[in-house]
Amino acid sequence: MQDTVAVALITSLSTLAAAGLTGLVGALSTRRQLAHQLTVARQESVERRATRRDELRRDAYVGFLSACDQAYRQLDRRWLDVGGSEPVPGYDEAYAAMRAVDEAYNLVLLEGPAAVDSVARSVLTSLTLEYADQRRFRDEPGDAATPLRERHRERWITAIETRTKHRIAFVDAVRPVLNADA
């Protein structure tokens, strides 16, 4: 009878040990799976944030370029306008376009990075200087019936060249930022 009890005891202990070992292996396996799922979820979250950041940056950059183009159109109109004592139609539109560029610049400033901010600031500065030149030229004594472009041809040509140079510099600064993951 003692042999039977000993065999039963050994059998039950080995069964309990096997169950415990199976439970331990299962728990470790589950822990590894959960850790892997957590890692994957974190990576997906980081990728979503990066994608969203890239979209916001792209939107800010495109908005800035669009606002600049609108301001350029208004400045071009002013180069072609003739002066006089009466307010020139579109004069306030040029100021509004300049304000839109300033607002778009604020978004670029928020989205960054610093290299793009710096180039965008130079675009904004050049636009502001051109706008100030036009105001000063308009108030100069002289033939008010002649468009600013004709009275200050060299400055007009320089303004067009400056616009082109700054726009290209902005796009060149933006491309690496938008294509960082490509």
Side-chain angles (χ1 to χ4, degrees):
M1 178 103 165
Q2 288 180 350
D3 289 337
T4 306
V5 170
V7 170
L9 187 59
I10 290 173
T11 303
S12 63
L13 286 176
S14 66
T15 302
L16 286 173
L21 187 59
T22 302
L24 180 63
V25 169
L28 291 174
S29 176
T30 301
R31 181 178 174 192
R32 256 183 291 155
Q33 288 174 349
L34 290 174
H36 176 71
Q37 288 175 350
L38 182 60
T39 301
V40 168
R42 284 181 182 153
Q43 287 173 343
E44 288 174 354
S45 177
V46 166
E47 288 172 5
R48 279 193 306 273
R49 278 195 303 266
T51 299
R52 181 66 183 141
R53 184 199 64 228
D54 291 346
E55 289 171 357
L56 289 172
R57 278 184 171 170
R58 186 178 195 300
D59 291 346
Y61 301 158
V62 168
F64 181 73
L65 286 172
S66 295
C68 287
D69 286 341
Q70 187 63 23
Y72 292 148
R73 280 189 210 94
Q74 293 299 325
L75 291 172
D76 286 341
R77 283 190 190 122
R78 291 179 67 190
W79 280 112
L80 297 173
D81 287 340
V82 289
S85 60
E86 297 298 316
V88 177
Y91 205 75
D92 290 337
E93 287 87 358
Y95 179 76
M98 296 298 295
R99 292 299 306 141
V101 172
D102 199 32
E103 291 170 9
Y105 170 69
N106 289 336
L107 292 176
V108 171
L109 194 60
L110 288 173
E111 293 302 325
V116 173
D117 298 345
S118 175
V119 177
R121 187 177 325 108
S122 67
V123 171
L124 180 62
T125 301
S126 77
L127 276 167
T128 304
L129 291 173
E130 183 178 348
Y131 179 75
D133 282 349
Q134 286 183 345
R135 288 181 62 96
R136 190 181 72 245
F137 295 155
R138 187 175 187 289
D139 294 337
E140 286 180 347
D143 185 8
T146 305
L148 290 177
R149 181 181 72 177
E150 300 304 321
R151 289 188 288 165
H152 298 279
R153 189 156 189 79
E154 296 80 24
R155 180 61 189 106
W156 172 69
I157 290 170
T158 301
I160 300 300
E161 290 171 351
T162 301
R163 291 179 194 178
T164 303
K165 181 182 83 171
H166 285 302
R167 183 176 41 239
I168 290 170
F170 181 76
V171 170
D172 287 346
V174 163
R175 277 193 180 126
V177 173
L178 294 179
N179 297 328
D181 295 331

